[in-house]
Amino acid sequence: HRPHQCPAGADTNCPPRTMGRRKKRRTHVKDEDQPQISKSNNPRSFVLRRGRHSTVLKDLEDDLRQVMQPNTATSLKESKKNSLKDFVHVAGPLGVTHFMILSATQKASYLRVATVPRGPTLTMVVHEYTLAADIAAQAKNYSAPTGIFKTPPLVVLNNFVGEKHLRLAAVVCQNLFPAINVKTVKLATCKRVVLLDFDAESECIFLRHYHITAQPAGVSKRIRRLVTKRDAPSMKGLNDIAEYLGGMTSDSEGEDTAARVMLAQDMGRANSASTQSSIKLQELGPRMTLELIKLEEGVCSGQVLYHKYVEKTSEEVAELVERKETNEKLRTQRREEQAENVVRKRAEKEALRQAERARQGIKDRTKEPSGAGDADSGSDAEEEEDRSRVEEQDDEESDDTDTEWYRREVGEEPDEQFKRNVKARKLSQKENAERSEQKRLERSQLQKREARKPGSTPLAQEAADKEAARLQAKKDQKFKDRKGQGGKDKHAGGGRTSKGNDGGKQAKGADKGVHKRSGGVSGPDKAVKKSRFQ
């Protein structure tokens, strides 16, 4: 470390400067800005739209997402291709506990509140609603700071008493928001409130969303403005602050004394503990008038626990339950039968494949144990014998087929020229097949030898591939040379038989056609042969 140097003009006995790590002070979130809620039971929600006519509720969806902040997906993108099962599948990993689903028909709009993943589900008709933008346009001093949406709102339920379905609806609505610990909660985090009021006469639920503000009580408006505002007021044309404050009576005389409370904690600027403050609520929106019409056991499905317009007897309910159990058993039975059918069809297909291979004389190499040395060579020899026997059978069948075709098309027995052409074509095809099969056997033998080597390396593999390619090129050259010698013998034989007559010339021309086209038909049989393969 460098020695400590005191600044010019300072005391020479100043303490040495410590070289500790710098602490981040600005990025840390203060405790008072965080809600005192239980993290284990912190609910999260999805607000989404479903249905054909749901586009008319896009603005209401945005307002509901603002109400449910910060424990909701504000940028959730839903598509027509997405089904409700897709959202249920992603709800588990993301910790989502509730769905708020908006839908619309030609007659009414609906709001469904579902608890994920097992229910229950509340279905409510939206009779009336007012957007937050409309409320802001009508209010005189509308204010909605962004900071108030960083903490979850309080929830207040009123008149949810009496019947069982009302109590269950109250529990579902209450669980939409985090639980507040009254003993440890800080008043600075209580910035919003959601009010749900049930009217017994109309049987409707009224939803309101407010912003909680606290102002010092018992002071004038100018003093309150001077204390609460961060910027100093304009005193242009005044000689003293007394002129700004003088002559003003208290504006708190017309206030509701019931809204005055004694604060137990500090609540923002100019609202300290043990002082009297005036609590005011400013509406943020949206407003909604809802009517509960249906209560289901599962997530938008299951047994109907309550319906406002349809009533069923105990016998009908028992019959529905029995029918559901029967359908479930049939569904399970069909699934088991489908699984058995899949296994059976696979076995039948494999048996047909093995029978076809056995008929052609090809052995199933997958069932034979893999050996080395003499065992491999013996299996290759057996396979070659089987293949040659199958090829001979195919040649005989093909000869019979060509002869029958000639008799059917021409109407007479095939001549010697036609037989020679067919034989030459079969010979050429057989040579090509033998050459490709020889290549395949050499590659398989080379792979087996390389696999048996304990210390095979990429360099050794590359050298082996080059050697195999060289051997294959050498064999191909020998094959071409042997084929060229056979062509010369054919020309020589054709020349000897063509002396002194025109028939010999036709035979010679036919032989040339066979040599050039590797078994192609020439002369008068060309058109007939072409029509067959068309």
Side-chain angles (χ1 to χ4, degrees), residues 291-356:
E291 182 182 3
L292 179 63
I293 62 172
K294 191 177 180 181
L295 183 60
E296 296 174 286
E297 185 178 7
V299 180
C300 300
S301 62
Q303 183 180 357
V304 178
L305 304 177
Y306 165 78
H307 202 290
K308 186 175 182 180
Y309 303 108
V310 179
E311 294 183 0
K312 294 184 180 296
T313 61
S314 58
E315 292 80 4
E316 293 176 347
V317 173
E319 183 180 356
L320 291 175
V321 172
E322 184 179 359
R323 185 185 305 174
K324 182 179 179 181
E325 292 178 354
T326 304
N327 294 336
E328 187 65 26
K329 290 180 181 179
L330 290 175
R331 186 181 296 108
T332 304
Q333 183 179 358
R334 285 196 299 268
R335 289 178 180 175
E336 293 177 355
E337 291 178 357
Q338 290 175 358
E340 292 177 358
N341 291 337
V342 169
V343 175
R344 178 177 55 80
K345 290 180 180 180
R346 287 180 180 175
E348 291 178 356
K349 188 176 181 180
E350 181 65 20
L352 290 175
R353 190 179 69 85
Q354 295 294 341
E356 182 66 20

Side-chain angles (χ1 to χ4, degrees), residues 433-475:
E434 290 178 354
R435 185 171 60 179
S436 60
E437 183 64 23
Q438 185 67 21
K439 290 181 179 180
R440 188 187 66 80
L441 291 176
E442 290 177 355
R443 284 196 301 267
S444 63
Q445 292 177 1
L446 182 61
Q447 291 175 0
K448 291 177 182 178
R449 288 197 300 269
E450 292 296 333
R452 287 195 292 267
K453 289 182 180 180
S456 59
T457 60
L459 295 177
Q461 183 68 25
E462 184 178 359
D465 294 339
K466 291 182 179 180
E467 181 65 17
R470 188 183 66 80
L471 293 175
Q472 186 62 39
K474 187 176 179 180
K475 291 181 179 179

Side-chain angles (χ1 to χ4, degrees), residues 182-453:
V182 180
K183 296 182 180 180
T184 59
V185 67
K186 293 187 177 181
L187 296 180
T189 61
C190 301
K191 299 179 180 180
R192 292 184 297 143
V193 61
V194 175
L195 175 62
L196 294 171
D197 181 27
F198 177 74
D199 186 9
E201 295 182 0
S202 61
E203 297 184 354
C204 292
I205 301 173
F206 300 96
L207 184 145
R208 298 292 185 269
H209 184 211
Y210 296 101
H211 175 209
I212 303 174
T213 59
Q215 296 178 352
V219 296
S220 63
K221 185 182 296 185
R222 290 191 176 184
I223 295 177
R224 186 185 303 135
R225 186 182 303 170
L226 183 64
V227 174
T228 57
K229 299 295 182 181
R230 295 184 181 273
D231 299 334
S234 177
M235 297 184 183
K236 184 178 181 180
L238 302 178
N239 297 326
D240 192 1
I241 192 174
E243 297 180 6
Y244 177 77
L245 301 176
M248 299 298 297
T249 59
S250 176
D251 293 338
S252 62
E253 295 177 357
E255 296 178 355
D256 187 6
T257 56
R260 296 182 182 182
V261 296
M262 188 68 67
L263 298 179
Q265 301 176 6
D266 294 341
M267 190 176 177
R269 187 179 178 87
N271 295 285
S272 58
S274 301
T275 60
Q276 196 174 26
S277 298
S278 177
I279 304 298
K280 292 186 177 180
L281 299 179
Q282 184 179 10
E283 189 172 3
L284 298 174
R287 299 177 187 174
M288 298 182 69
T289 302
L290 309 172
E291 182 182 3
L292 179 63
I293 62 172
K294 191 177 180 181
L295 183 60
E296 296 174 286
E297 185 178 7
V299 180
C300 300
S301 62
Q303 183 180 357
V304 178
L305 304 177
Y306 165 78
H307 202 290
K308 186 175 182 180
Y309 303 108
V310 179
E311 294 183 0
K312 294 184 180 296
T313 61
S314 58
E315 292 80 4
E316 293 176 347
V317 173
E319 183 180 356
L320 291 175
V321 172
E322 184 179 359
R323 185 185 305 174
K324 182 179 179 181
E325 292 178 354
T326 304
N327 294 336
E328 187 65 26
K329 290 180 181 179
L330 290 175
R331 186 181 296 108
T332 304
Q333 183 179 358
R334 285 196 299 268
R335 289 178 180 175
E336 293 177 355
E337 291 178 357
Q338 290 175 358
E340 292 177 358
N341 291 337
V342 169
V343 175
R344 178 177 55 80
K345 290 180 180 180
R346 287 180 180 175
E348 291 178 356
K349 188 176 181 180
E350 181 65 20
L352 290 175
R353 190 179 69 85
Q354 295 294 341
E356 182 66 20
R357 292 174 66 88
R359 186 185 69 82
Q360 296 180 359
I362 302 176
K363 294 185 178 181
D364 192 357
R365 292 179 294 176
T366 58
K367 296 183 180 180
E368 297 178 359
S370 58
D374 298 337
D376 294 337
S377 59
S379 61
D380 293 340
E382 294 177 359
E383 184 177 356
E384 183 64 25
E385 292 177 1
D386 296 338
R387 192 177 299 277
S388 61
R389 183 171 62 255
V390 171
E391 289 178 356
E392 290 177 359
Q393 295 176 0
D394 293 342
D395 291 341
E396 293 177 0
E397 293 177 359
S398 180
D399 293 341
D400 297 339
T401 303
D402 292 335
T403 304
E404 292 176 359
W405 173 83
Y406 190 90
R407 291 171 182 171
R408 184 176 62 255
E409 294 294 335
V410 181
E412 59 184 14
E413 292 294 331
D415 55 359
E416 296 297 330
Q417 181 65 29
F418 178 78
K419 293 181 180 180
R420 285 198 299 269
N421 292 342
V422 171
K423 189 174 182 179
R425 176 170 58 83
K426 295 296 177 57
L427 181 61
S428 177
Q429 292 177 356
K430 186 176 180 179
E431 290 177 353
N432 293 336
E434 290 178 354
R435 185 171 60 179
S436 60
E437 183 64 23
Q438 185 67 21
K439 290 181 179 180
R440 188 187 66 80
L441 291 176
E442 290 177 355
R443 284 196 301 267
S444 63
Q445 292 177 1
L446 182 61
Q447 291 175 0
K448 291 177 182 178
R449 288 197 300 269
E450 292 296 333
R452 287 195 292 267
K453 289 182 180 180

Side-chain angles (χ1 to χ4, degrees), residues 22-31 33-34:
R22 183 180 69 87
K23 293 183 178 180
K24 295 183 179 180
R25 302 181 184 276
R26 298 180 183 177
T27 58
H28 290 181
V29 181
K30 298 181 181 179
D31 295 337
D33 294 338
Q34 294 294 333

